[in-house]
Amino acid sequence: MKVCATIPEARAACCDARTSRKRLGLVPTMGALHEGHLSLVRAAKVQCDAVAVSIFVNPTQFGPAEDLSKYPRQFDRDCRLLEKEGVEILFAPAVEEIYPGGAVTWVVVEGLSEKLDGRSRPGHFRGVTTIVSKLFHIIEPDDAFFGQKDAAQLAVIRRMVRDLNFPVEIVACPIVREPDGLAMSSRNAYLNREERSRALVLQRALQKARQQFDAGERIAAKLISAAKEVIAGEPQVALDYFEIVDPDMLDPVERISQKTLVGVAAYVGTTRLIDNLVLEP
Ligand code: AMP
């Protein structure tokens, strides 16, 4: 695996990979890798001839009161995991390499960026779309792999790719869960034992909505109130949102008549966790 810390190194390695092989896949991450990230890498290995992974804890997508400084960083371990998966290129730049100072240009997907997580985390998606644009320009992948776990992020990125004509195919990969159902996340490392077990309430709330849907309920408000009751039953878990939305526009739907995204975000102690599922009538 070629480890690149600078943009010219990464460009050269990716250019080589594209010419000597054919399809180049990109898996953007913030590191502290788990099976969720590795599932994206494996999907990329299947679909592409060479795979580049980026590890960059992107400061511009963190709010001032968020967890940028304590975000888990495990670079050596991440390298070993990626080597084992047969990744060809790792791009792991320093903050100054990506944001050398003086930059005043942002990529903003208007409207969508203020929905779901964007509403609770102002500026978050502006940071995401800006770094993903930079990575697309540096790596020039044919395919880029993202997790369904971050469903709003996926909608925002798809829209950006469409609106700005990026020549890249966005591939969505299913949510990878712990055996007890908790969606894998680098932030799960923040949870103490008690919080870890309380965190399962997100999954229970989603399952409650699914059960009602399976029993024939199609009114979104009914599913939402049943799910919110489940969350309310768990002390020390503070709901951020539980929403039922169109998966592309992220606007709330009243009746579930087509493919619909059910998303939840909640604070377990001070840790903000998200999860979702898709309902298809
Ligand atoms: P992150 O390192 O949190 O920025 O995540 C990098 C990529 O991994 C994003 O596309 C996430 O959606 C994806 N990802 C994170 N957790 C999971 C998971 N449990 N299952 C599938 N994909 C995931």
Side-chain angles (χ1 to χ4, degrees):
M1 182 170 74
K2 176 139 185 57
V3 181
C4 308
T6 69
I7 293 170
E9 272 178 295
R11 277 196 204 285
C14 293
C15 189
D16 274 0
R18 267 194 315 273
T19 43
S20 63
R21 303 175 192 228
K22 287 187 209 89
R23 273 192 103 72
L24 176 62
L26 170 65
V27 180
T29 82
M30 298 204 300
L33 302 178
H34 50 64
E35 281 295 316
H37 297 113
L38 298 181
S39 75
L40 307 189
V41 172
R42 287 170 198 147
K45 290 292 289 180
V46 169
Q47 185 164 325
C48 302
D49 304 296
V51 175
V53 173
S54 61
I55 294 183
F56 182 64
V57 182
N58 176 38
T60 62
Q61 71 188 67
F62 287 77
E66 292 184 354
D67 55 341
L68 173 62
S69 61
K70 70 163 188 173
Y71 196 84
R73 287 164 172 86
Q74 324 178 336
F75 187 68
D76 294 342
R77 179 176 176 273
D78 289 349
C79 281
R80 285 197 297 276
L81 290 172
L82 295 175
E83 288 265 18
K84 232 163 88 188
E85 297 295 330
V87 167
E88 281 82 1
I89 300 164
L90 170 59
F91 180 42
V95 171
E96 306 74 53
E97 181 73 9
I98 295 293
Y99 299 110
V104 290
T105 306
W106 296 94
V107 177
V108 181
V109 176
E110 291 182 353
L112 274 189
S113 293
E114 282 91 56
K115 293 173 183 164
L116 299 187
D117 306 282
R119 189 175 323 115
S120 338
R121 305 182 66 190
H124 170 67
F125 284 129
R126 182 182 79 155
V128 169
T129 40
T130 301
I131 184 62
V132 171
S133 300
K134 281 170 166 275
L135 291 171
F136 285 176
H137 285 307
I138 296 164
I139 307 292
E140 296 186 56
D142 298 287
D143 304 307
F145 296 78
F146 293 88
Q148 175 64 27
K149 155 97 187 325
D150 296 84
Q153 167 173 284
L154 201 48
V156 169
I157 288 170
R158 280 192 197 284
R159 189 57 181 261
M160 175 188 83
V161 164
R162 195 186 91 177
D163 288 355
L164 295 183
N165 309 99
F166 277 98
V168 57
E169 194 198 316
I170 302 301
V171 182
C173 300
I175 302 177
V176 177
R177 299 179 178 282
E178 301 286 356
D180 63 5
L182 183 68
M184 287 194 181
S185 163
S186 306
R187 290 189 166 95
N188 291 349
Y190 298 150
L191 304 171
N192 64 31
R193 255 182 75 156
E194 197 182 310
E195 290 169 338
R196 172 66 184 70
S197 100
R198 291 191 197 288
L200 291 172
V201 74
L202 275 76
Q203 174 62 2
R204 286 206 303 277
L206 289 170
Q207 287 312 323
K208 183 75 181 183
R210 188 194 288 285
Q211 277 161 20
Q212 299 221 337
F213 175 80
D214 288 345
E217 183 59 69
R218 293 293 181 269
I219 308 293
K222 295 244 175 85
L223 270 55
I224 292 171
S225 73
K228 282 186 172 173
E229 248 176 61
V230 173
I231 304 255
E234 189 64 77
Q236 280 148 52
V237 173
L239 184 65
D240 177 359
Y241 67 73
F242 193 101
E243 286 200 53
I244 299 187
V245 301
D246 174 275
D248 301 317
M249 300 308 294
L250 305 180
D251 286 323
V253 300
E254 281 179 22
R255 263 194 79 80
I256 302 165
S257 54
Q258 53 198 341
K259 192 174 165 189
T260 302
L261 174 69
V262 183
V264 60
Y267 289 88
V268 179
T270 54
T271 305
R272 185 174 182 281
L273 299 179
I274 59 174
D275 199 349
N276 68 81
L277 57 78
V278 172
L279 296 177
E280 287 187 72

